[in-house]
Amino acid sequence: MEINGKTKLIGVVGWPIEHSLSPRMHNAAFAAAGLDYVYLPLPVQPDKLKDAAAGLKSLGFVGVNVTIPHKVAIMQYLDHIDRSAQMVGAVNTIVMQDGTASGYNTDAEGFIRSLQAHNITCAGKKAVLLGAGGAARAIICGLIDHAIDKIVIGARDARKADGLAGLFRDYCNIYAYDWQQESFTRETENCDLLIHCTPLGMFPNIAAEPPVNWLRVNHGAVVCDLIYNPPRTRFLEQAALRNHIIINGKGMLVEQGAVAFQLWTGQSAPREIMYSVLD
Ligand code: NAP
């Protein structure tokens, strides 16, 4: 569709932004849905975020994605923060309507939908997370919203893991460990989901992997990695060798985008197209 004066503007704000796959994914989705929208990469230096937030309003953008390093800092410039973003403590999607900017977080729901696409449910189950950063926090919110029974966080820095767990103790059974501890390994023996939430193994450092004693991991556990490049990290390779069901981060990327697409357009996203352009 040709860009014209009526074309609705959407973008992704980040720094750097040139490697983002979101413009390709969303422009393909808008075209497939026959919608007159365009999705632009918007490189914004950290010290220019306030100006950029005002500029997006002045320029009439109707929606924005927000990515590293702005997901937390952007919150102070918004008029309304949805519960999804309050829980995660970060905004990845903004809807602009009638001069009001509302912040949402679609990562948690995106992750849960990526599990559902494999017919995996969370209710009553036990999840073990590796890593205690922003993505881990989003995953925890999604798991709690979908009635997980118990969450265990393992990280290289036990204090960070414990700080993260402390935010959610009112909502579920949640425990934190140094991931090198024997007591952490013991927690993997009866987990239903093992979810990797660090950048270890992401391109170009594909030889890296988190410390997991695979001989002790429950054989029936579903193993997820939030990384999508490469599609099979060393971590997922190890899991596949032991016949675990494996799920990489592509589904989360597509599904968080599909939730954002619906917030902006009011229509359900053409998810198959979004999956296929990423291939
Ligand atoms: P983050 O906030 O920076 O947190 C990263 C976590 O990994 C922290 O716990 C950090 O520990 C740990 N970590 C980093 N480098 C490490 C290393 N060399 N050894 C051990 N631990 C290390 O990042 P994030 O936003 O949570 O993202 C984590 C991963 O999820 C990234 O690979 C990202 O691409 C992926 N992700 C994917 C999607 C998707 O849609 N598929 C969405 C969001 C994120 P310290 O705190 O001790 O540094």
Side-chain angles (χ1 to χ4, degrees), residues 127 144 148-152 168-175:
I144 290 173
I148 197 88
D149 178 51
K150 180 175 176 182
I151 298 174
V152 173
F168 297 99
R169 287 219 168 87
D170 288 345
Y171 304 97
C172 72
N173 298 314
I174 186 162
Y175 305 89

Side-chain angles (χ1 to χ4, degrees), residues 128 130 179 194-201 210 224-227 233 235:
V128 172
L130 297 151
W179 63 15
L194 179 62
I195 308 165
H196 177 222
C197 313
T198 87
L200 288 166
C224 310
D225 199 326
L226 304 192
I227 294 170
T233 54
F235 171 76

Side-chain angles (χ1 to χ4, degrees), residues 193-234:
L193 294 162
L194 179 62
I195 308 165
H196 177 222
C197 313
T198 87
L200 288 166
M202 188 163 67
F203 182 84
N205 302 315
I206 58 169
E209 59 188 313
V212 173
N213 185 339
W214 287 102
L215 297 175
R216 304 265 301 272
V217 175
N218 173 19
H219 296 307
V222 173
V223 177
C224 310
D225 199 326
L226 304 192
I227 294 170
Y228 48 83
N229 183 17
R232 267 198 192 201
T233 54
R234 281 277 283 267

